[in-house]
Each structure stands twice: as C-alpha cells, then as structure tokens.
C-alpha cells in the first residue's frame, strides 16, 4: 500500500499494532509503536532482503524508536537484533537507529543500542542518531542520494507513524 503527503511517497509493507515496516526512496523504515519484539525484527529482516536486492545501488535500513518511554529489548529480541546485524548482504549500504528522546535515559538507550548493533557486525557499521537531520545526512551520503533531506525524511517518518497508528 502506498501512502503519501505533499512531498513524500511511502510504501507500507506491513503494519501491526506494535510496528510498521515502510519504504521511502532506498530506505526501509521499521517504526516501532511500542516495545521492540522478535516478530518485528524478524519480519523487517524478511521484508528487507528481497526489497533491497531490487534497489539499484543498494539500500539502507532505519529503525525508529518511539518517543514514548519503552524498556530495553528482552534477551530474545536482542538475539534477533544480533542475527539481523550479522547477516547483511552486499545490498545493505548501512543500518541506523533513530532515538529522538532526550535526557539520561535516552542517552543510555542510545549507548545500549550501539553496543547491541556493533557486537559481531560483519556488514556496514551501525549508527545511532538523535535527530532526523542527522539520519538524513548519513542516509544521503551512504545512498548517494541528495533527495534525502532532513525535511523529507522527517515527513516520511511522520507518514509511517500515522500509518502505524491507523491514521
């Protein structure tokens, strides 16, 4: 299903009450609504591989953590995250996590995510960001796509979030 705003076109691949998987340009978004789960991690991986292999020049993967407070992932979910991070194909140009929350807890979560993603990673180095502008600069560089701007990325995330909430 394709959904769009005045400036971006986002394709929704899967939507549940916990997450939405969407694509915009050559970027796949896993937008969490709540606590991360094994099912969401595994499904996004299953959807990413066939989609990314069709993207000329490869693709990148972005995990968007909700602004609301959530706990750290359980051991089973952390293991699924490690499996995803250690099994990329040549089509994976980069992987990033956007944690927009601020403060000590958010900083701790960013540090934890960096450790989880970095442990045993064989593909591109993971990146943890606090703002869509930081993600856009990274994504534009790794995808060599100057159409990835902070405003358009923020809009794509907003469109995916609205889809996640059924809006």
């Amino acid at each position: 299903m394709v959904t769009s705003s005045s400036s971006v076109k986002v394709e929704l691949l899967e939507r549940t009450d916990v997450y939405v998987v969407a694509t915009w340009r050559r970027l796949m978004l896993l937008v969490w609504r709540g606590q991360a789960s094994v099912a969401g991690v595994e499904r996004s991986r299953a959807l990413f591989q066939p989609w990314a292999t069709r993207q000329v020049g490869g693709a990148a993967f972005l995990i968007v953590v909700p602004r609301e407070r959530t706990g750290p992932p359980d051991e089973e979910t952390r293991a699924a995250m490690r499996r995803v991070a250690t099994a990329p194909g040549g089509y994976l140009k980069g992987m990033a996590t956007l944690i927009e929350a601020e403060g000590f807890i958010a900083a701790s979560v960013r540090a934890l995510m960096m450790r989880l993603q970095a442990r045993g990673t064989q593909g591109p180095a993971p990146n943890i960001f606090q703002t869509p502008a930081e993600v856009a600069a990274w994504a534009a560089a790794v995808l060599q796509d100057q159409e990835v701007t902070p405003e358009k990325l923020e809009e794509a995330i907003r469109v995916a979030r609205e889809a996640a909430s059924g809006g």
Side-chain angles (χ1 to χ4, degrees):
M1 176 179 138
V2 175
T3 186
S4 61
S5 70
S6 60
S7 61
V8 299
K9 181 173 132 182
V10 175
E11 182 178 3
L12 302 177
L13 302 181
E14 185 165 301
R15 178 176 80 183
T16 73
D17 59 343
V18 179
Y19 65 87
V20 66
V21 179
T23 61
W24 172 67
R25 303 194 64 75
R26 291 186 297 134
L27 189 62
M28 180 171 279
L29 309 170
L30 169 57
V31 181
W32 292 105
R33 284 194 57 178
Q35 189 66 38
S37 68
V38 172
V41 172
E42 295 290 347
R43 284 296 299 147
S44 64
R45 176 184 180 190
L47 292 166
F48 181 78
Q49 291 178 336
W51 172 81
T53 58
R54 296 189 308 268
Q55 306 307 307
V56 176
F61 191 91
L62 175 62
I63 301 163
V64 182
V65 177
R67 291 182 182 114
E68 301 79 33
R69 185 175 178 176
T70 60
D74 61 25
E75 183 53 43
E76 197 176 347
T77 302
R78 287 193 299 269
M81 290 174 171
R82 284 190 296 273
R83 284 192 301 274
V84 169
T86 58
Y91 48 80
L92 176 63
K93 296 301 176 192
M95 185 174 182
T97 301
L98 173 61
I99 305 172
E100 295 178 281
E102 296 180 9
F104 176 77
I105 292 174
S108 299
V109 169
R110 281 191 282 280
L112 172 67
M113 292 300 293
M114 185 62 87
R115 273 191 315 194
L116 285 175
Q117 288 185 358
R119 188 180 301 160
T121 298
Q122 298 169 351
N127 299 278
I128 310 296
F129 298 106
Q130 184 175 351
T131 68
E134 294 168 335
V135 175
W138 165 82
V142 297
L143 297 174
Q144 298 179 349
D145 183 350
Q146 296 311 305
E147 294 295 315
V148 177
T149 65
E151 299 79 18
K152 288 181 180 176
L153 177 60
E154 196 163 358
E155 182 69 7
I157 292 169
R158 185 190 65 74
V159 169
R161 271 194 179 124
E162 285 181 2
S165 63

